[in-house]
Amino acid sequence: MRPLRILIAEDNDDHAELIMDVLEESSCPSVVDRKINGRDLLDYIELLAAAGPNVPLPELILLDIKMPLVNGISALEHLKKHPTLKKIPVIMLSTSANAQEVERCYELGANSYIVKPFDHTEFEDKLRNLRGYWSETTLLPQIVSGAMNDKPGSD
């Protein structure tokens, strides 16, 4: 089984560590990169997108909303305007259930919006459900910088 490439943009070290721990528990292998603010996320992913047709891009982005330099909503807007990057599923993570914020994220193309509960165990459960859905249930596009991999059955 090919590893799932996941990019996490999370400035809270405790949240990032918990996310990575839950991803490591999965029967589906994953390669996880982490960026601590929206500017680093955008710089990194644009560098990958410009690197050439053989450079794999993340297949899933977990994006915290409240980050320094560039917040998650602005980063989402930028990602979803890019012709190649817009194909990457983006899961928004927030401690807020603000209806306007939720609505805005979906308007911009978010694939999911998850409220991070304050209870550690409840957050782990949500992350396990998320991991199972995106790594074991859903078929994700294989995106390489600049183009989709269009060979049927290729890994």
Side-chain angles (χ1 to χ4, degrees):
M1 180 181 287
R2 181 181 58 77
L4 180 65
R5 293 180 307 275
I6 301 171
L7 180 56
I8 300 169
E10 172 64 72
D11 63 320
N12 182 305
D13 290 335
D14 291 335
H15 290 175
E17 186 176 319
L18 179 60
I19 293 167
M20 291 187 283
D21 287 347
V22 170
L23 291 173
E24 286 178 12
E25 294 172 3
S26 174
S27 60
C28 177
S30 55
V31 175
V32 180
D33 284 320
R34 177 190 174 206
K35 301 302 171 197
I36 60 170
N37 64 61
R39 181 74 267 148
D40 286 350
L41 164 77
L42 294 176
D43 289 346
Y44 174 74
I45 201 158
E46 286 178 3
L47 183 66
L48 289 179
N54 295 321
V55 175
L57 293 169
E59 294 166 288
L60 184 64
I61 298 174
L62 304 179
L63 181 55
D64 182 35
I65 290 180
K66 293 177 176 44
M67 289 189 300
L69 302 182
V70 175
N71 70 43
I73 293 174
S74 295
L76 173 67
E77 184 172 20
H78 183 82
L79 290 168
K80 294 302 181 176
K81 286 182 179 178
H82 190 283
T84 300
L85 302 177
K86 72 180 180 182
K87 299 170 189 165
I88 302 170
V90 178
I91 312 309
M92 303 305 290
L93 302 173
S94 179
T95 54
S96 168
N98 177 288
Q100 292 170 330
E101 192 174 81
V102 173
E103 183 72 23
R104 182 69 179 139
C105 288
Y106 282 116
E107 284 174 357
L108 292 172
N111 299 86
S112 186
Y113 187 104
I114 296 175
V115 176
K116 298 186 279 189
F118 292 106
D119 179 72
H120 185 81
T121 303
E122 188 180 341
F123 191 26
E124 281 184 81
D125 289 343
K126 282 189 175 192
L127 291 169
R128 282 189 186 93
N129 290 335
L130 170 86
R131 177 201 69 211
Y133 179 76
W134 289 100
S135 67
E136 298 166 15
T137 304
T138 301
L139 182 61
L140 295 171
Q142 295 178 28
I143 304 170
V144 289
S145 16
M148 293 278 292
N149 183 349
D150 58 2
K151 296 178 188 170
S154 65
D155 286 327

